[in-house]
Amino acid sequence: MSHPDYYKLLGLSRNASDEDIKKAYRKLARKYHPDLNPGNKDAEARFKEVSVAHDVLSDPEKRRNFDQFGDPAGPQAFPGGAPPGGFQGFSFEDLFSGFGGGGRSGPERGEDLQHTLRVGFRDAFQGTRVTLAIQRTETCRLCHGSGEGPGPKGACSTCQGRGHLERGLGFFKSRQPCPQCQGSGRSAPPCPDCQGRGRNPSTDNVTVAIPAGVEDGTRLRVAGKGEAGRRGGGPGDLFLHIQVEPHPRFERRGANLYVKLPITFTEAALGAKVEVPTPEGQSTIKIPPGTQGGSKLRLKGQGMPVAKSTQRGDLIAEVQVVTPEIRDERSKELLRELASLNPEDPRDKVWR
Ligand SMILES: [Zn+2]
Ligand SMILES: [Zn+2]
């Protein structure tokens, strides 16, 4: 089976990009769409051709096969067979969305953007500033967002000046205002810079202050850094969802930090002063005589800062009493002697 030159059908060269293919297809499909050309058999045939061309060229495998073998199905194509797969074209609405406003005429605020931002423990403790390259859209500088290009307004090419479109067939035929000219029947040519969309892709470097004490799950709003608005609408906002990386040593609960504090049997019994790590280095903590395993010792104000305040949480040391492993006879003797001097039964306190 011989295939038409799909590139020629879309008016493209062989090295056209995916974006070129999409644009060329949208343009031709708008021109030949059956809804816009009721009863026009030529337009219907052309619409089918460009749909097939787009179907082939937008599929990387079919396109490769076509480039290499002249057949989208590849070298072992069935004689007389059609290219596999159905049309994967755009719907009527897709063809007009983002073109001249898609039928809605009022100003429309831009969409919000959402990003996840991972913050290290240290940065969450101290606060930091980060600069992010944000892919967004900005209002077209050439047409100031109207989507209209220079030149006089002529009869709208979408509705041929009628101001409305007819959709459906026979009994189910319905009329709707033309989305391109919004019913006026006249329209300017699309802006050459934004192809009528009114906004262009841009990359913005956005600097964000991360407050000291920021918590996992915090949502920071950067006003006006979402997508550009349409037809004079304001831009959307950028939302940053903060993920704070955990620390291997400190467990964070709100503004308090928990740290495990292993102490010896002797330190627990007699009391001691020991070093404990803090987010800033270390501090000395006093272990009172007779401290039990599981006790919580608190260092006030040595936890995380509370975001947007001057307060700080506490550092809480959770005591773990480490039982010594006694191997030598002399130590065993001493422990037995110690036990006989202190004949208390800890189970007494719990059970009686
Ligand atoms: Zn129109
Ligand atoms: Zn423009």
Side-chain angles (χ1 to χ4, degrees):
M1 176 182 183
S2 74
H3 294 274
D5 184 337
Y6 297 120
Y7 291 99
K8 219 172 177 180
L9 280 176
L10 294 181
L12 293 167
S13 68
R14 292 243 154 196
N15 51 21
S17 71
D18 289 350
E19 193 55 34
D20 295 338
I21 292 166
K22 208 157 121 188
K23 268 190 205 155
Y25 168 65
R26 285 170 73 104
K27 196 174 146 217
L28 291 170
R30 272 201 294 266
K31 190 169 167 192
Y32 296 117
H33 200 287
D35 285 353
L36 305 181
N37 300 278
N40 182 339
K41 293 279 170 222
D42 281 352
E44 197 182 320
R46 289 283 285 141
F47 181 73
K48 277 187 184 151
E49 281 176 350
V50 298
S51 296
V52 174
H54 169 260
D55 180 54
V56 170
L57 297 184
S58 63
D59 180 317
E61 198 187 330
K62 288 181 194 171
R63 184 178 177 182
R64 212 176 315 116
N65 284 333
F66 178 68
D67 287 348
Q68 219 171 330
F69 309 107
D71 188 329
Q76 66 282 66
F78 311 103
F87 291 168
Q88 49 153 102
F90 294 91
S91 73
F92 185 82
E93 280 74 19
D94 285 342
L95 290 170
F96 290 100
S97 67
F99 191 95
R104 283 165 297 178
S105 51
E108 199 182 313
R109 188 177 170 272
E111 299 85 350
D112 291 333
L113 286 173
Q114 316 281 338
H115 275 272
T116 300
L117 179 63
R118 284 180 76 83
V119 176
F121 182 88
R122 184 127 301 272
D123 284 340
F125 179 74
Q126 294 174 332
T128 185
R129 292 177 85 79
V130 289
T131 299
L132 305 161
I134 301 293
Q135 308 281 324
R136 54 188 293 270
T137 45
E138 60 178 17
T139 303
C140 176
R141 286 168 213 261
L142 190 62
C143 64
H144 305 288
S146 71
E148 293 182 354
K153 281 195 174 189
C156 171
S157 61
T158 300
C159 61
Q160 277 93 42
R162 285 193 294 264
H164 64 263
L165 302 174
E166 282 180 353
R167 304 200 52 195
L169 291 165
F171 188 71
F172 298 101
K173 208 175 254 185
S174 69
R175 266 185 184 198
Q176 61 169 191
C178 170
Q180 184 163 331
C181 62
Q182 279 138 34
S184 71
R186 296 173 66 74
S187 76
C191 166
D193 217 17
C194 62
Q195 282 82 42
R197 290 182 191 88
R199 45 190 203 174
N200 284 319
S202 84
T203 303
D204 272 20
N205 289 327
V206 177
T207 300
V208 192
I210 309 291
V214 69
E215 287 192 54
D216 191 61
T218 301
R219 201 171 76 140
L220 295 179
R221 187 174 75 104
V222 187
K225 289 296 179 184
E227 306 283 16
R230 297 171 197 271
R231 297 175 301 280
D237 297 331
L238 167 67
F239 286 96
L240 296 174
H241 298 261
I242 305 294
Q243 282 183 354
V244 178
E245 285 169 19
H247 190 278
R249 189 175 284 159
F250 302 112
E251 189 197 325
R252 183 173 175 181
R253 292 182 216 160
N256 290 340
L257 290 176
Y258 288 75
V259 65
K260 300 230 181 306
L261 180 63
I263 60 173
T264 67
F265 166 76
T266 313
E267 288 167 337
L270 301 180
K273 278 184 177 170
V274 300
E275 297 285 299
V276 62
T278 72
E280 289 147 306
Q282 46 190 4
S283 264
T284 305
I285 198 165
K286 194 167 164 260
I287 296 162
T291 294
Q292 303 295 344
S295 304
K296 291 184 171 68
L297 305 174
R298 188 176 290 258
L299 287 175
K300 275 221 158 294
Q302 296 205 35
M304 292 297 274
V306 178
K308 294 168 187 163
S309 89
T310 52
Q311 287 178 302
R312 272 181 72 176
D314 300 334
L315 179 71
I316 296 156
E318 294 177 304
V319 172
Q320 294 175 324
V321 177
V322 180
T323 308
E325 282 182 55
I326 303 296
R327 289 193 184 84
D328 67 293
E329 273 314 308
R330 173 76 184 124
S331 299
K332 286 180 187 173
E333 255 172 54
L334 285 170
L335 276 176
R336 281 188 203 105
E337 202 180 324
L338 185 68
S340 67
L341 285 170
N342 299 275
E344 61 179 282
D345 181 354
R347 291 168 290 278
D348 252 17
K349 288 181 193 162
V350 184
W351 293 336
R352 259 158 241 158

